[in-house]
Amino acid sequence: MKKFVINISTLIIPIILILVVVNYIGDSANLFKAGYEFKIAKIIAKKNYVTNLHNYDERLFQKEIIKTMKKAPEIIVLGSSSSMFIDRTLLKNNNIYNNSVSGASLEDYIAIYQIYKEYNKTPKTIIINIAPYQFNKNSTQERWKSIQHFYYNFYNKKEANNEINKYKEFFSLSYFQSSLPKFFKVITGKSEPLATRNKFNITITELTDGSHVYGKSYRDASKIEIEKKVSSLLAGDLPSIERFNSIDESIWAEFEKLISDMKKNNIIIEFFLCPLHPKIYNRIEEDYPMVLKTENLIIKYAKYHNIKLYGSFSPTLIGLDETFFYDGMHCKENGIKKILQSKD
């Protein structure tokens, strides 16, 4: 029996050790090594673009970049991935910063806005990107929790104790799978964020105004490749708007409180709605009526409160066809430019 235990231990211990080492060094989501987001912010502070980015925490980066700002931007964008392409050229203003984050929830907007307040850098104008899922309590968007401290500060509440036990990922097979490719990049020195003067690169690039440029494969995707992405999205429930049964009253109340606080601080507010791919929008018309009700509610709210609104979830209303999209959810820069031309 003793020999059996020794043999099993000899087999299992090296496997566990490999799992832990790869997950710690590869660290696909940067759970164990702090400072990655600071490195990105430091590069941007030196007026460089940043590329070669790997699964960094976009929320923590917002905190780091706001800390490095010498003065408040004139305009900021609070948005999701669909508004990440809004840059200084589209807004015709050099003093902007785009704070959009992937899968943004209302909690993200509140937290990022609070960061600006706490560092005394509130802007004159805030453009708020309204995403289709943001009033759906079943959207399952929880990435805001990495900056939840600022969310609770906005309400003067004690921070909730709901930190994820990250150390269980040491032994996670799924984390191992995602960390393995990065493990080899780390040990060869190829995982660090890179400063660049080039706007267009192999991987996604963060610009000095916070806007993003997709990597080469996404930018240059063929019509067939884009159609495959759209078809794949249509094959199941649309993410974050499945089980969207009603506009959640508590989320709407938080939205109104955020807008009210911005107005108290004499901030000009504008709403931006990014259109969806025509086939995705057709699916929404058929299966997700709450998304259309959300847009109608926002339109009425904007009119009542004298808030400028640009865009629509409907591509037809703006005159966009399938050629204006990278995939089912993300409109290309030329489409966003067409929307923002109405600001002139």
Side-chain angles (χ1 to χ4, degrees):
M1 182 66 180
K2 184 178 179 181
K3 186 177 180 181
F4 174 76
V5 172
I6 292 173
N7 289 337
I8 291 295
S9 299
T10 303
L11 177 65
I12 292 177
I13 290 175
I15 293 174
I16 293 175
L17 185 61
I18 291 171
L19 195 68
V20 171
V21 169
V22 170
N23 285 348
Y24 177 73
I25 295 177
D27 195 14
S28 64
N30 297 305
L31 295 176
F32 308 117
K33 293 184 284 296
Y36 192 89
E37 293 77 18
F38 173 74
K39 291 178 183 178
I40 303 171
K42 191 175 180 181
I43 292 172
I44 288 178
K46 293 181 179 179
K47 307 300 181 185
N48 290 305
Y49 302 150
V50 190
T51 193
N52 198 46
L53 300 171
H54 297 282
N55 297 325
Y56 66 103
D57 189 317
E58 296 174 9
R59 277 83 177 160
L60 291 179
F61 169 70
Q62 304 308 319
K63 181 183 74 170
E64 295 296 342
I65 196 66
I66 293 168
K67 283 168 59 178
T68 67
M69 292 177 179
K70 294 181 180 179
K71 61 179 182 178
E74 186 175 331
I75 303 171
I76 69 168
V77 180
L78 295 179
S80 63
S81 58
S82 62
S83 58
M84 284 180 173
F85 309 123
I86 298 177
D87 64 8
R88 58 171 60 100
T89 62
L90 293 180
L91 294 179
K92 298 180 180 179
N93 188 316
N94 288 327
N95 190 16
I96 79 142
Y97 200 83
N98 190 328
N99 296 101
S100 297
V101 294
S102 301
S105 62
L106 188 61
E107 292 93 342
D108 281 307
Y109 294 174
I110 291 170
I112 295 170
Y113 170 63
Q114 181 66 21
I115 295 171
Y116 273 106
K117 287 175 65 179
E118 292 189 20
Y119 284 99
N120 297 313
K121 295 173 183 176
T122 51
K124 293 180 180 178
T125 300
I126 297 180
I127 299 174
I128 300 177
N129 168 221
I130 307 295
Y133 57 82
Q134 286 176 329
F135 297 100
N136 177 19
K137 68 178 180 180
N138 298 313
S139 69
T140 68
Q141 295 291 346
E142 295 189 341
R143 283 174 277 185
W144 65 274
K145 290 182 179 178
S146 61
I147 51 172
Q148 65 178 5
H149 170 75
F150 297 98
Y151 169 81
Y152 289 108
N153 282 358
F154 177 80
Y155 288 105
N156 293 314
K157 291 181 179 179
K158 185 177 180 180
E159 185 174 343
N161 185 22
N162 54 9
E163 183 180 357
I164 298 171
N165 182 10
K166 64 183 180 181
Y167 296 105
K168 67 182 180 181
E169 299 298 343
F170 275 141
F171 310 100
S172 168
L173 287 173
S174 61
Y175 201 67
F176 175 84
Q177 289 177 321
S178 60
S179 295
L180 189 58
K182 190 179 173 186
F183 171 80
F184 293 110
K185 290 182 178 180
V186 170
I187 62 176
T188 56
K190 296 181 179 179
S191 69
E192 291 295 289
L194 298 177
T196 179
R197 296 288 184 178
N198 298 322
K199 185 175 181 179
F200 303 102
N201 296 286
I202 299 298
T203 58
I204 194 169
T205 302
E206 178 107 17
L207 306 186
T208 51
D209 59 11
S211 62
H212 283 203
V213 176
Y214 272 142
K216 181 175 174 56
S217 63
Y218 225 89
R219 291 194 316 269
D220 298 341
S222 66
K223 181 179 178 180
I224 294 175
E225 289 172 322
I226 294 172
E227 288 176 353
K228 285 181 179 179
K229 293 174 187 176
V230 174
S231 297
S232 177
L233 193 59
L234 288 170
D237 289 328
L238 296 182
S240 295
I241 56 173
E242 67 270 29
R243 297 183 296 124
F244 192 0
N245 303 316
S246 64
I247 294 172
D248 187 77
E249 291 182 5
S250 62
I251 299 176
W252 184 259
E254 285 197 284
F255 173 73
E256 289 192 305
K257 182 171 177 57
L258 175 62
I259 299 300
S260 175
D261 195 273
M262 290 177 177
K263 284 182 173 290
K264 285 179 183 177
N265 284 284
N266 299 313
I267 295 171
I268 298 169
I269 302 162
E270 298 178 354
F271 292 156
F272 173 78
L273 277 69
C274 194
L276 303 164
H277 188 283
K279 290 183 179 178
I280 299 297
Y281 187 77
N282 290 341
R283 171 78 180 281
I284 282 174
E285 284 187 305
E286 294 176 4
D287 298 338
Y288 302 96
M290 292 311 303
V291 172
L292 306 184
K293 289 185 179 181
T294 295
E295 179 168 352
N296 290 333
L297 185 60
I298 291 295
I299 291 171
K300 290 178 182 178
Y301 184 88
K303 287 181 179 178
Y304 183 81
H305 292 276
N306 197 28
I307 295 172
K308 290 183 179 180
L309 184 148
Y310 307 98
S312 169
F313 295 146
S314 168
T316 305
L317 287 179
I318 304 167
L320 305 185
D321 59 23
E322 296 180 2
T323 62
F324 282 88
F325 293 85
Y326 284 115
D327 55 31
M329 307 297 288
H330 298 97
C331 181
K332 292 180 179 179
E333 291 87 341
N334 58 350
I336 293 176
K337 181 178 180 179
K338 189 172 183 179
I339 297 167
L340 295 177
Q341 281 175 342
S342 62
K343 288 174 65 65
D344 299 335

